[in-house]
Amino acid sequence: MQYHYLVKLYNHNYRKKIIEKRVKDIYICLDSDAIRNALSIAERFMGEGLNVYFIELQDEDASDLGFEKITEIIQETGVMTFEQLMQLRMGILWK
């Protein structure tokens, strides 16, 4: 399994490279303080036809979980649906 890491410093050039390289699957895993940004990124990639796997961390940071635990979480995560995206967006609005 090949992983492409998306960093908080996401920009248009990074997105363009992902599209140019014909990446099919992308995993987005940002902590809860970056949820709005993460959902916007997910929506953009879904619009490009990529399979987006969205890992929502509650009060944890991926680096604190360690490689083995975060890999396990990633492997258990399914492709994000438009319905899931909208549910998460609505949840943010009501917080």
Side-chain angles (χ1 to χ4, degrees):
M1 180 178 284
Q2 184 178 4
Y3 295 106
H4 295 272
Y5 295 95
L6 187 61
V7 296
K8 280 188 179 181
L9 300 174
Y10 168 83
N11 62 40
H12 176 72
N13 290 331
Y14 197 74
R15 178 175 159 255
K16 185 177 173 184
K17 283 188 179 205
I18 289 171
I19 302 303
E20 287 174 355
K21 297 287 183 182
R22 298 185 180 193
V23 172
K24 297 290 182 206
D25 299 321
I26 190 157
Y27 294 79
I28 298 175
C29 180
L30 296 172
D31 50 15
S32 60
D33 66 335
I35 189 84
R36 289 178 196 266
N37 188 36
L39 290 174
S40 293
I41 293 167
E43 188 171 10
R44 286 188 199 116
F45 283 127
M46 289 172 74
E48 295 284 348
L50 277 70
N51 295 320
V52 174
Y53 296 82
F54 191 84
I55 297 98
E56 186 180 6
L57 299 176
Q58 299 301 324
D59 295 324
E60 302 167 303
D61 187 79
S63 61
D64 293 338
L65 291 172
F67 180 78
E68 287 183 25
K69 182 64 178 171
I70 199 66
T71 300
E72 180 183 316
I73 292 169
I74 287 170
Q75 290 174 342
E76 293 172 357
T77 301
V79 175
M80 181 179 228
T81 65
F82 183 74
E83 181 181 2
Q84 289 170 323
L85 175 68
M86 289 300 107
Q87 287 175 343
L88 286 168
R89 282 203 179 277
M90 293 304 294
I92 290 171
L93 290 175
W94 300 111
K95 286 184 180 181

